[in-house]
Amino acid sequence: MSLYDEGHTVAGWTGTAIGAVGSTALGLGVCGWAPGFALGAVVSVSALVVTWVLHLSGWGKPPGPRPRDQWSLRVRDRSARGGHVDCLGCRLAGRRRTPAPLPAAPGPTGAADITGGIAPTAVPAGETSH
């Protein structure tokens, strides 16, 4: 087993297998098999749809690394129903989860804060600042 989460999921493996069949059919179409182009295109699009449906049903993974206990193919993602943060597939399905808001930075409270805490330098009399 790898030391890193490589994203091996039921959705990923299923989509890859179906996509390989579609690519094979497209390749046969290039070599002269007449139904290869149409069949390959249909199978390739179905690979996208099947992968997306499996992802939305919890058999995919959210973007980024997962905890080690969720690396197994048998572990279903329970957070998929609410959508994943920054996930295109979830946004396309209308599942919009936004990242947690950042804590508000304190705004300026006085004249000292306007200059960023640095006092303006004095210009000697008779000279101008640029």
Side-chain angles (χ1 to χ4, degrees):
M1 178 143 200
S2 175
L3 298 175
Y4 303 98
D5 173 26
E6 297 173 348
H8 299 297
T9 63
V10 173
W13 283 110
T14 304
T16 299
I18 297 171
V21 172
S23 295
T24 301
L26 283 167
L28 290 172
V30 169
C31 292
W33 185 47
F37 285 115
L39 181 63
V42 168
V43 172
S44 295
V45 169
S46 70
L48 291 171
V49 172
V50 167
T51 304
W52 185 41
V53 169
L54 285 170
H55 172 78
L56 294 175
S57 64
W59 291 110
K61 77 180 239 18
R66 296 177 292 179
R68 190 169 186 81
D69 63 333
Q70 295 178 10
W71 287 8
S72 172
L73 283 174
R74 289 178 243 138
V75 177
R76 194 169 182 179
D77 180 19
R78 304 279 184 223
S79 67
R81 185 167 298 279
H84 300 117
V85 175
D86 296 330
C87 177
L88 176 63
C90 292
R91 280 192 307 232
L92 289 173
R95 299 178 182 181
R96 301 183 189 274
R97 182 177 290 173
T98 57
L102 296 173
T109 57
D113 287 340
I114 293 174
T115 60
I118 301 172
T121 57
V123 177
E127 294 183 20
T128 60
S129 65
H130 296 280

